[in-house]
Amino acid sequence: MTTNSVNYIEPTTEELSEGVRLRRKKRAINFAIDVFLIVVSILMLLPLVFLVANAFKTPAEMLSWPPTIIPRDPTIANFSAVLGETPLLRWIANSIAFAVMSTIAIVATSAIAGYIFGKFRFRTMNILFALFLATAIVPFEVYMIPLYFQAKSLGILNSVWGLLLGYLVMSFGIFLIRQNVIHSIPDELLEAARIDGAGEFWIFLHIVLPLLRGALGALAVLAFFQAWTAFAWPMIVATTRTSYTIEVGLALFQTGFTVDLGRLSAASATVLIPSILLFVILRRNFVQGVASTGLKE
C-alpha cells in the first residue's frame, strides 16, 4: 500500500503576523475608499436635496440660517403658484416632444451612418467619417445663426420642427455606433445572411439593430438629455411664451435683480420627474452601452 504525502511547511510566526498586517491594511484602504465615495456622493446629492426641500419651504424659512433640509412648515404654495401663473405643463410638453423627436432622429441617423461607416469599406468612407468627426469640434454657436435664418426661411420658428432642426444628427452618436458595429458584429454573420439571400435592409433591421440594442439605448439617453437641457438654440428659435421649452421657461423666474427661489425650486423639482423616470427605465442599457464601448476602445 502506497500513500501520497504532501510536504506542508508550517508558516513562521513572522509570516503569520505579516499576513495579518497586510489584511488589516487592505481592509483599512477599502474602508477609506468607501468613506471617501460616500462623502463625495453626499456632496453631489446635497444640491438636489436642497432643491426639492426649498420647493416646499416658505420664503422666510428659505432665507433663514442655518438652512434646513426638512421644511419646518411644508407648503405647496410654490407649486400652486407655478402651475397657476405660468404655462409650466406646456413648457414640459414642448420639451418632451422636442427631446423625444430629437432622440428618435439621432438614434436613426447614428444607427444608419454608424453601420455604413463600420461595415462598408469604400475608399471615401474614411474621409467622410473624418469629416463627421471634425464637426464635433465646431461649437454649435458657430453655425447657430445661419441655422436660424434657415429655420426662418422654412417658416418653422416657434415650433417643435424649428427646435428639431438643430438636433437631428450627433457626430458622437455616429462614432459610438460605428465602434460598436466594428467590435460587436462579425463580418461572417453579415456574409452568411447575404449568402442566404437576405437584403441589406433586412440585415440592418433584423441583425444589426438587435445586436446594437445596448449602444442605441445609451445613445438614446444621451440624445434625450442633450435636447432636454438645450438652452441657447430654443431661446433663439422659440420667441413666444407658449413655444418655450422648460429650460427657457425656467429662466423667466430670474430677472436682472431678483430670483424667485421658491417658484424656481418648485418648477425645477417638477422638471426633474420626466428625466429621472427616463434614466430609471433605460439605466441598464445606458451602463452596458457606455461600458462596452469604452472597454473595447
Side-chain angles (χ1 to χ4, degrees):
M1 180 177 179
T2 59
T3 58
N4 295 327
S5 61
V6 177
N7 295 327
Y8 178 75
I9 302 175
E10 285 287 342
T12 63
T13 305
E14 290 76 11
E15 290 174 339
L16 288 174
S17 60
E18 179 67 15
V20 171
R21 190 184 68 82
L22 289 176
R23 284 195 295 272
R24 286 178 178 173
K25 183 180 179 181
K26 185 178 180 180
R27 281 199 296 267
I29 292 175
N30 290 335
F31 179 74
I33 293 175
D34 291 341
V35 170
F36 174 76
L37 292 178
I38 291 172
V39 171
V40 171
S41 301
I42 292 174
L43 291 177
M44 294 182 67
L45 286 176
L46 269 182
L48 186 62
V49 172
F50 275 111
L51 170 68
V52 177
N54 287 339
F56 293 95
K57 291 180 182 177
T58 60
E61 185 180 359
M62 202 176 302
L63 298 176
S64 64
W65 185 264
T68 56
I69 295 179
I70 301 176
R72 287 190 295 268
D73 299 313
T75 176
I76 60 171
N78 294 322
F79 289 96
S80 301
V82 166
L83 295 175
E85 299 174 10
T86 64
L88 180 67
L89 298 180
R90 178 63 182 271
W91 296 342
I92 293 177
N94 290 340
S95 287
I96 290 176
F98 167 45
V100 169
M101 294 173 68
S102 173
T103 300
I104 294 173
I106 287 176
V107 168
T109 54
S110 299
I112 296 172
Y115 173 56
I116 293 174
F117 284 131
K119 291 300 178 184
F120 293 85
R121 297 183 180 88
F122 299 113
R123 185 172 298 177
T124 57
M125 282 300 172
N126 290 332
I127 299 175
L128 291 175
F129 181 64
L131 291 176
F132 267 104
L133 284 184
T135 61
I137 63 174
V138 180
F140 181 69
E141 289 75 10
V142 171
Y143 54 89
M144 187 169 56
I145 299 304
L147 205 60
Y148 167 80
F149 287 111
Q150 188 175 354
K152 185 178 180 180
S153 63
L154 294 173
I156 55 176
L157 294 178
N158 298 314
S159 69
V160 177
W161 302 109
L163 295 170
L164 191 62
L165 185 63
Y167 287 81
L168 288 172
V169 181
M170 181 192 290
S171 55
F172 172 75
I174 295 173
F175 171 76
L176 177 72
I177 300 303
R178 175 184 178 270
Q179 299 307 104
N180 273 273
V181 166
I182 292 175
H183 294 290
S184 304
I185 302 176
D187 293 337
E188 293 78 8
L189 182 63
L190 303 179
E191 290 299 328
R194 292 187 181 108
I195 291 173
D196 290 340
E200 292 298 331
F201 181 74
W202 190 95
I203 293 173
F204 176 75
L205 199 63
H206 293 88
I207 296 178
V208 176
L209 288 184
L211 293 176
L212 294 176
R213 188 171 52 189
L216 292 176
L219 178 60
V221 174
L222 294 175
F224 184 89
F225 283 107
Q226 176 188 252
W228 183 261
T229 58
F231 179 73
W233 176 244
M235 187 176 64
I236 292 177
V237 174
T239 57
T240 60
R241 191 178 175 88
T242 55
S243 65
Y244 287 167
T245 61
I246 190 60
E247 291 291 328
V248 179
L250 289 178
L252 295 180
F253 293 97
Q254 180 178 0
T255 64
F257 302 97
T258 61
V259 179
D260 193 337
L261 288 177
R263 296 182 183 183
L264 180 59
S265 299
S268 300
T270 306
V271 171
L272 287 175
I273 297 174
S275 54
I276 290 176
L277 287 177
L278 179 73
F279 183 78
V280 169
I281 294 172
L282 295 178
R283 69 185 189 283
R284 184 169 299 175
N285 287 334
F286 178 76
V287 173
Q288 287 178 350
V290 173
S292 61
T293 302
L295 289 176
K296 286 168 182 174
E297 282 307 297

